[in-house]
Structure formats: C-alpha cells, structure tokens
Amino acid sequence: MNFIDLKRQYKAYKSEIDQAVAQVLESCQFVLGEPVQRLEEALAEFTGSRYAIGVGSGTDALILSLMALDVGPGDEVLTTPFTFIATAEAIALLGARPVFVDIDQATMNMDTEALKAVIAEREKAGARLRGIIPVGLYGQCADMDEINRIAGEHGLFVVEDACQSFGASYKNGMSCALSEIGVTSFFPAKPLGAYGDGGMAFTDDESLAKRIRCLRVHGERARYDHVEIGLNARLDALQAAILLAKVPHFPDEIRARQKAAETYRQLIEQKLPGVVPPVVRDDRTHVYAQYTVRVRNGARDAVIRSMQEKGIPYAIHYPVPLHLQPAFGYLGYGPGDMPVAEQASREVLSLPMHPFITESEQAKVVRAMESGLRQGMGH
Ligand SMILES: Cc1ncc(COP(=O)(O)O)c(C=O)c1O
C-alpha cells in the first residue's frame, strides 16, 4: 500500500499526460511559454482570481508574494506554528520576524482569538506588524473572513498559504482567492500535483500581479531590463503541461478524496474509540491533502507500531511545531508557548489518502490501528 499512490493516477491518465509531455518535447520550449500561460488562465478561472502567476514552487510563491508586499528587515509577520516550515521560512528569508499564533483545537488552523491577543501584545510592544499568513492545514481553509476582518482593522495584509487547500471552497469562494494573495504548491504529493516542483500565486490586484510576474524572472521588465532584484522562480513548461492534463480530472479527484474521507470517518467512529477524525466546518469543504486524525490518551505510539508491523504507511504532520524547531531557536520561543500546537504534534497521525484508495485498503488501515489501540490499552 502507498501513502499517496501516484502510480495509479499516472496509469489512469497516461495517454493524456504522455501526449502533453511529448508536445512540450517537440516544441523545445521548456521554461514558461504557452503551457504555463494556459495553466495560469485555467486556474485563475478555477479559483475565481483575476490573475495567476506560475512559479517554481509553493515556497517561491510565498517568497515572491512577501517581496511584492515589500516585507523586509524590522517587519513582523504573523503565522501558525503548525505548518510545513516553508510558511515561516519565507518570512525569515526576507529578514522579517515570524510571530507565531497558536491554533484552534478542532481544526488545527490559526485560532482567531489567539490572533487578536498576539496582535494586541505586539502592537503594545511597538512592533512593526505587516501581515498574516494563515494556512489551510491538511486541505481546509482557516477562518478567512474573520482573519481578513482583523487584518483590515490593523492595516495588515493577508497571504493565504493554500499549498494544501487548493480546490477547497470557503463560503462562496475558493481557496487562493480569499485574500490579497493566495499561494499554492504543485509538489507531486499535493492535491493537484506536478511531476516535479511547481507553484502559483493568485491575486485580484493588478499591481501585485505585475510585480510578482516581474520578480519571478530576475525583476525583468523586458529582456535584460531589470527594474528590481528578483529571483529565478519560473514554472517549467513540462510541469504546466502535465498539470493541464490533470486539471479536467481534478474535481472528480476531490470528490473521490471526500468519499474516502467519509469511509474513514465511519470506520473510525465504529471501531476506533479515542481516535478523532478531521473536524470540517459547515461553511467550507476539505480536500484532504492529508487525512489526519488525532489519537488521544497517549496511544499514538502503539497505533504506529501496529501499522508498521502490518506494512501500513503513515506520516506525522508535524512532529515538532515550528516555534520549537532548531532553525527558529533565535526567536526565543520555548515549550509551553503554543500549548495547542504542542498537544496536536503529540496526537496527529496521517493515514494513506489519495483519490484511488480502495475501501478494502482503508479497512486494512483501520484494522491495523484497531489492534494497535487494543495493545495500547494492555489487552
Ligand atoms: C503549508 C505549506 N506551505 C508551503 C509549502 C511549500 O511548497 P513547495 O514544496 O512547493 O515549496 C508546502 C508544501 O510543501 C506546504 O504544505
């Protein structure tokens, strides 16, 4: 069993993907070009954004967005400690300071009450707060309306890190189109995955779009006319062509993920006491980039041991929250500073999830967890 089965997906769309790749090879235009432009148009429409800019990765999309918003030394940017490191890394790479806001117990996304408290505390300290980067953890958007409202009150920008939530809806909108800028990743294991690195930034703001477009090619306005210092952060034509072949299947894949999530939820409720399935808010959908449960009562190690014995793949997203990572030691946080994120890091467990998983595979995952739970309880 695979944690994410990309081989089954390739087999299902092989002829379309092979043809798309062959066309790029024939064209010999490998960086940016027509496939990237077509993908930008398709995904701008899909998300309901005016502009989409294809870039080298989700990390590049975060860095370019913060560059376009003129984030720099002396600035502070608020984000969650319970995310992949790239979210906070982008802030630090620009010389700004990541300021962590603890998470909501149920959804594990940024807690808006904690956000208000941290803003009040940093404003009192005279900090130069610039913006907020909420993350749609595991594939469900954070409380974007409330985050946008708080940001508006304090003159802050909001960049949505939608690297895991691409395709998720929130009220009447889609993830990536819910704030100034939304960014996503096309890393192969993401819901919409390429066959290498890739990413995209989305915005309705024409001047931000222009700036990001320019920054992704060395700050180039026209060939060898550089108006500012930028990066090499372009999307490959091959990746764009592969993604274009996958886009028509994406809505069905999301439905398949949601169906598999429902199967897991039922099995968990029947068979796994003390295991909490993902909590999905009524006003949004979840795309299950990860299907992550919480294992209560210190039973996670026993469950994992049983999964290992039975050859069931699993992952922990994330075992160490960012405020306790050595790389962020200089920020001065310590254990106990983000208690909800710290508790989550001890309880979360991601199960195999992809659009092609079968019910019998899911039953096997749950059986392995069940026997682990029994052993954990001393039976
Ligand atoms: C929440 C989050 N932010 C940022 C990234 C970075 O994306 P990439 O790997 O494409 O640079 C990822 C995924 O890896 C992610 O999950």
Side-chain angles (χ1 to χ4, degrees), residues 56-60 62 83-84 86-87 135 137 161-164 184-187 190 197-199 318:
S57 65
T59 307
D60 282 345
L62 282 162
T83 175
F84 184 58
T87 316
V135 176
L137 190 73
D161 180 341
C163 287
Q164 299 179 14
T184 200
S185 163
F186 303 127
F187 183 74
K190 298 297 184 200
D197 280 310
Y318 297 88

Side-chain angles (χ1 to χ4, degrees), residues 130-345:
R130 291 291 318 282
I132 311 171
I133 311 184
V135 176
L137 190 73
Y138 306 143
Q140 174 177 218
C141 291
D143 295 329
M144 294 302 290
D145 276 2
E146 180 65 358
I147 290 168
N148 284 326
R149 193 192 61 74
I150 295 167
E153 269 181 8
H154 296 270
L156 306 174
F157 65 73
V158 178
V159 172
E160 184 198 7
D161 180 341
C163 287
Q164 299 179 14
S165 58
F166 189 75
S169 66
Y170 175 87
K171 299 186 181 174
N172 296 320
M174 295 295 285
S175 186
C176 287
L178 304 170
S179 60
E180 265 102 326
I181 304 178
V183 301
T184 200
S185 163
F186 303 127
F187 183 74
K190 298 297 184 200
L192 182 61
Y195 286 174
D197 280 310
M200 200 163 273
F202 299 85
T203 184
D204 284 346
D205 183 316
E206 188 180 352
S207 64
L208 284 175
K210 269 195 182 147
R211 187 110 185 257
I212 295 171
R213 213 171 269 289
C214 174
L215 284 165
R216 80 173 164 180
V217 212
H218 305 286
E220 203 174 66
R221 179 171 53 187
R223 196 75 183 125
Y224 302 126
D225 176 13
H226 305 275
V227 287
E228 63 177 320
I229 304 297
L231 300 175
N232 173 1
R234 301 167 294 209
L235 182 61
D236 278 4
L238 269 174
Q239 301 307 337
I242 290 160
L243 288 163
L244 276 167
K246 288 190 181 188
V247 165
H249 302 287
F250 188 51
D252 283 341
E253 288 205 348
I254 292 175
R255 278 189 285 275
R257 285 175 184 274
Q258 289 166 341
K259 186 164 174 284
E262 181 54 23
T263 301
Y264 267 140
R265 190 185 62 75
Q266 286 174 12
L267 289 169
I268 289 168
E269 282 172 1
Q270 287 160 16
K271 297 175 192 291
L272 304 178
V275 174
V276 185
V279 174
V280 187
R281 297 284 182 227
D282 290 341
D283 56 3
R284 60 203 84 167
T285 62
H286 200 313
V287 293
Y288 301 100
Q290 304 297 345
Y291 187 87
T292 306
V293 300
R294 290 180 72 147
V295 186
R296 303 280 196 206
N297 312 319
R300 188 175 68 181
D301 285 351
V303 169
I304 287 176
R305 236 176 289 122
S306 172
M307 291 172 86
Q308 283 170 336
E309 278 164 18
K310 294 172 178 66
I312 307 287
Y314 69 93
I316 294 176
H317 302 104
Y318 297 88
V320 180
L322 296 187
H323 68 290
L324 301 179
Q325 287 286 353
F328 288 123
Y330 72 96
L331 295 173
Y333 290 98
D337 285 343
M338 302 284 143
V340 187
E342 289 166 37
Q343 187 191 343
S345 71

